[in-house]
Amino acid sequence: MTGSQASPARYALHYWPSIPGRGELVRLALEEAGASYDDVARRPAAEGAGVPVMLRVLRGELGGLRPLAPPVLVDGELVLAQAACILDHLATQHDLVAPGPRARLEALQLQLTVADLIGEAHDTHHPIGVSLHYEEQQPEAARRAALFVRERAPKFLGYLEDVLARGGGMHLVAARFSYVELSVAHVLDGLAYAFPRAFEGWRESIPGLLALRERTWARPRVAAYLASPRRLPFSEHGIFRRYPELDVDPG
Ligand SMILES: N[C@@H](CCC(=O)N[C@@H](CS)C(=O)NCC(=O)O)C(=O)O
């Protein structure tokens, strides 16, 4: 949590406490903005917080539009779900995108594309269903991961690299920093964690994105956050999981 703990935080973020997951996309934007937020599910139930409060939000018990799944951001009476939608809101509040409808829509379009990439990365280890363990869908996961590594990830990464190059090489939207860059940097980290072997193969086709990631992680507030205990590590419980058998040769 950032900001003064003496005064109430403006935002309440509700997300699973033990994984970066999609909550991290929101957390990164909040941190870059220097916004005060309460990471509710990561605080103990004894403080009137924790996962039970998040579950109440998901049941619609705290008012607002009922969300289907976390991350959820509460801003006053506004209860927002869908990471891209949350980020679009934060962008307007904290100058995380260039002014004007065109830049805002372009950022949202790219963010939704990043969301698709995240979904496909997740589905490499859960291609059949999220209610089944990885071990119950391993053959399907192997088939899915091979296609992801050789076709889908290169397509998404190549697309983002091209968008970056067309915009002059420094930024993805409107020739200035936007929240999308935080998400892209995080996804690159996630892919490098989950698919270290494949990532080595993808590297040479994404020099612009790799440089973008470095610039993004060097932003002062972001760098401070990454070095803090608020930043959760990747693990085999989250979206980006390192299963060596899925990290095939990208060809
Ligand atoms: N499209 C949504 C996906 C939300 C989502 O899948 N959340 C996961 C955690 S990252 C979850 O807990 N899902 C529960 C469910 O779908 O039942 C977004 O981008 O925020």
Side-chain angles (χ1 to χ4, degrees), residues 15-16 21-22 68-71 82-84 115 239:
Y15 192 72
W16 302 111
R22 291 176 175 90
L68 176 79
Q82 294 287 354
I239 293 172

Side-chain angles (χ1 to χ4, degrees), residues 2 11 16 26 62 66 69 83 97 99 110-112 140 146 154 166 173 175 178 180 184 208 221 223 226 228 245:
T2 59
Y11 299 108
W16 302 111
V26 178
L62 268 61
R66 185 185 163 198
V97 71
L110 288 180
Q111 189 63 37
L112 288 165
E140 294 90 349
R166 285 165 189 256
V173 178
S178 70
V180 183
V184 167
R221 284 180 179 149
L226 295 182
S228 80
E245 63 276 19

